[in-house]
Amino acid sequence: MINPDVRHTGDSGGVPLVLLHGFPFDHTIWAAQVAGLADVARVLTPDLPGFGGAAPLPGDPVQATIHAYAEAVLAWADSLGLATFALAGHSMSGYVALALAHLAPARLDGLILIASRAGADSAEAAAGRHKQAAAVGERGPVAVAEAMLPKLFAPHTPAGVRAAVETLILRQTVPGIQAALYAMASRPDARPWLTTIPTPTLTVAGSNDTLIPPSEAQAMRDGLRNAAYVEIAGAGHLPMLETPAALTTALRPFVAGLRPPILVPPGS
Ligand code: MLT
């Protein structure tokens, strides 16, 4: 289950905006957006199951699915009484957000897909994730840190940001990381779903993202029914940390334009 210790801010009457971190991070990546969007949204930053101290998905990590993470997010939203909300998913959580949009489109007021893609893993990529899950079992989170850190950043990203991200990865847990790797490896191709998703969507990419290049966000924009694309200059895979002000500026008009939920007084 997602950590019930919900971090949220900005009860401004704006739309609830759920920011979901990617792999293998936690809610702390969103600090700049929590501060920068609090006047236009009620910003919520849960941890995915297995990250940031949240309990992992129940069961064997090998059986974890992206669908199960989406259901966990819906159960968490239910527990808060969030009938509808806007959802921003970073990378792996873009996969989760697309699964949730497919599962329960009526729950979403808006969708933001950051540094993500709709396609499934190739057989080779899935095998690589299985190998990485085994390495994490043997060596701990350092195995995934060593594999990912060289690919995460734009060339000019400061050493301090790189070091903070390394620390963030190293404090995640083995079962959480393994479950996410197995879930990403087995995820279905979400491209056929795109034309069925009615939700207003913003797809976002860092111009220097080599892990998931901007062409993937552009392809999602093209496949979705109601989507726009924005590119963050000078960012790699982590625009929320590499170019935080630019990401907040890019999200702000989209978020501010989303309809706040209609509150029906009890008994009416
Ligand atoms: C992420 O940042 O969530 C991952 O890099 C996504 C992936 O490996 O496909």
Side-chain angles (χ1 to χ4, degrees):
M1 287 295 294
I2 287 193
N3 197 337
D5 171 22
V6 176
R7 295 90 178 176
H8 74 265
T9 183
D11 282 308
S12 57
V15 68
L17 171 65
V18 178
L19 305 179
L20 275 184
H21 63 84
F23 168 87
F25 313 116
D26 64 28
H27 73 278
T28 60
I29 65 169
W30 300 114
Q33 285 68 49
V34 168
L37 296 172
D39 60 325
V40 289
R42 176 186 169 203
V43 187
L44 300 113
T45 57
D47 289 309
L48 283 181
F51 293 93
L57 287 174
D60 188 338
V62 175
Q63 307 294 334
T65 62
I66 290 296
H67 188 91
Y69 288 98
E71 286 191 321
V73 174
L74 281 173
W76 166 80
D78 289 346
S79 75
L80 288 186
L82 295 178
T84 66
F85 52 94
L87 178 60
H90 170 239
S91 201
M92 171 186 164
S93 280
Y95 314 155
V96 175
L98 283 174
L100 195 151
H102 184 57
L103 189 65
R107 299 293 297 271
L108 294 180
D109 297 314
L111 186 58
I112 302 173
L113 301 165
I114 302 171
S116 196
R117 57 157 63 95
D121 271 9
S122 64
E124 192 189 350
R129 294 204 203 263
H130 290 179
K131 227 171 123 182
Q132 197 167 73
V136 169
E138 284 159 22
R139 301 175 54 223
V142 70
V144 80
E146 283 174 6
M148 287 189 78
L149 285 168
K151 303 180 201 158
L152 285 175
F153 304 107
H156 298 296
T157 298
V161 173
R162 293 167 189 254
V165 170
E166 181 172 10
T167 304
L168 173 55
I169 295 174
L170 293 179
R171 71 169 181 251
Q172 304 310 318
T173 65
V174 169
I177 292 173
Q178 288 180 320
L181 284 167
Y182 285 113
M184 288 192 285
S186 68
R187 74 188 190 279
D189 183 359
R191 288 174 298 181
W193 307 342
L194 296 178
T195 52
T196 70
I197 295 171
T199 315
T201 304
L202 186 64
T203 71
V204 182
S207 63
N208 293 70
D209 190 346
T210 51
L211 203 59
I212 301 187
S215 56
E216 296 284 359
Q218 289 159 3
M220 290 195 291
R221 183 267 322 268
D222 294 345
L224 284 155
R225 273 164 53 181
N226 183 8
Y229 167 73
V230 61
E231 194 163 299
I232 311 294
H237 192 60
L238 290 162
M240 64 293 290
L241 297 173
E242 299 178 85
T243 53
L247 179 64
T248 302
T249 300
L251 300 185
R252 168 175 282 278
F254 179 80
V255 172
L258 295 172
R259 266 181 313 115
I262 299 161
L263 298 175
V264 182
S268 63

